[in-house]
Amino acid sequence: MIERFEVALNTPAGRLTTAIDVPTGFIPITSIVPVSRRLGDEAAQLEVQQATAAGQTVSCRIGCAACCRMLVPLSAPETFALRDYVDQLPADRRVSLLHRLSDTKDRLKQSDLWDRMNDVAEASKQVPDEELDPINQSYYALRIPCSYLENETCSIYEARPAACRELLVTTPAELCQDLVQNPVTPLPVSMRISSILGLVWGTLTDSPPRLIPLPMALEWAGRHEEEARRTWPGSSLLDQVLDNMWRFLSQEFTNRGRADGKDR
């Protein structure tokens, strides 16, 4: 059975209202990922509308892959969902993708980055930013195209990670060709879905809110297959997601000098 929830979130860019259908029975964590991403997408659209009203133009477009040389982090729930998505791809596309991932792994091993990234993915406690930054910088310096690109277009666009969805800029697209040398202006992000799902997963499993680098996501999901099979009541998962969203929004209102906006 399905239960419908009417959700309202006050974001710094406006009020988000929507209806969400969630199974009433026990479901895996992957079932809540599309719902979470949808809320994140709708919050991002409010930011786009606010920027447009202020005379700004978002330069990001489908097919622009300049930022697809950055190291993308996924939460554990997103990682399991990505594995499920890849498993249902046509065989020829899946084989091609796995070949590209293998090539990327070889390059990262040659650069002594693979093991460092794996340490992050399997860390027993949350890794601080000062340890992540050198890894991110070293990865970007290699300019490795994302393995999920096909002809410079995202091959998993409808299932792409939240971090990819949230990176929108209002500066000219050509500046994104070198994000180290060129100043770019990203849109504000009201709530980071990867972080929210990571916190939910950490609470459910009594583990740190880990982030898994995209190049090793499928391997990580395979090693943690048993965890992916666990289930929880659908309404309970939604409540945890919304609770963490409200926390993020409250902090974002504070950061932007606005009053707290918690409503449901």
Side-chain angles (χ1 to χ4, degrees):
M1 294 180 62
I2 299 293
E3 184 174 1
R4 172 157 291 191
F5 293 85
E6 300 293 334
V7 175
L9 297 169
N10 288 333
T11 82
R15 186 174 175 83
L16 187 163
T17 58
T18 190
I20 292 176
D21 293 332
V22 177
T24 56
F26 282 72
I27 59 175
I29 191 68
T30 50
S31 296
I32 209 70
V33 171
V35 168
S36 304
R37 284 179 177 159
R38 192 184 114 201
L39 290 171
D41 288 346
E42 292 185 18
Q45 188 56 39
L46 290 174
E47 297 286 354
V48 171
Q49 292 172 4
Q50 186 177 71
T52 301
Q56 299 174 307
T57 300
V58 174
S59 53
C60 305
R61 298 288 184 272
I62 294 177
C64 176
C67 61
C68 300
R69 274 73 179 165
M70 301 170 66
L71 185 57
V72 175
L74 285 78
S75 62
E78 289 181 286
T79 302
F80 294 134
L82 177 62
R83 186 273 317 274
D84 291 347
Y85 182 85
V86 169
D87 283 348
Q88 57 81 44
L89 288 175
D92 58 337
R93 287 187 57 200
R94 186 169 63 253
V95 169
S96 294
L97 169 61
L98 294 177
H99 279 313
R100 294 195 299 272
L101 284 167
S102 179
D103 290 343
T104 296
K105 180 178 180 178
D106 288 343
R107 288 193 62 183
L108 292 171
K109 279 183 168 291
Q110 292 169 9
S111 302
D112 296 324
L113 271 176
W114 184 264
D115 289 341
R116 292 166 65 191
M117 289 163 50
N118 190 63
D119 289 343
V120 170
E122 298 291 358
S124 59
K125 60 182 180 180
Q126 189 169 5
V127 181
D129 288 345
E130 54 266 25
E131 293 183 25
L132 293 174
D133 286 345
I135 296 175
N136 288 328
Q137 292 165 8
S138 297
Y139 182 91
Y140 185 67
L142 296 174
R143 295 296 199 276
I144 300 175
C146 177
S147 300
Y148 293 87
L149 287 176
E150 292 179 359
N151 299 318
E152 289 298 293
T153 299
C154 182
S155 65
I156 57 166
Y157 191 77
E158 63 271 24
R160 68 196 187 282
C164 301
R165 298 164 183 265
E166 293 163 358
L167 181 55
L168 300 170
V169 302
T170 56
T171 37
E174 55 267 23
L175 294 181
C176 296
Q177 296 299 325
D178 189 338
L179 296 171
V180 174
Q181 298 298 325
N182 298 330
V184 297
T185 304
L187 278 185
V189 179
S190 297
M191 47 190 187
R192 297 194 178 276
I193 300 303
S194 284
S195 297
I196 288 168
L197 288 171
L199 289 169
V200 171
W201 182 251
T203 299
L204 292 171
T205 61
D206 193 25
S207 63
R210 67 179 79 252
L211 293 175
I212 297 95
L214 180 57
M216 60 177 47
L218 299 186
E219 287 195 19
W220 188 92
R223 293 197 301 268
H224 295 263
E225 176 65 32
E226 195 65 31
E227 298 170 49
R229 296 196 185 103
R230 297 181 62 182
T231 59
W232 295 268
S235 59
S236 174
L237 289 180
L238 178 62
D239 281 342
Q240 291 207 41
V241 167
L242 291 176
D243 283 345
N244 279 283
M245 284 183 173
W246 286 325
R247 288 170 53 194
F248 266 74
L249 288 169
S250 177
Q251 184 60 51
E252 190 63 18
F253 271 104
T254 299
N255 292 343
R256 299 194 202 185
R258 299 268 303 270
D260 176 49
K262 178 176 178 179
D263 191 12
R264 178 180 174 184

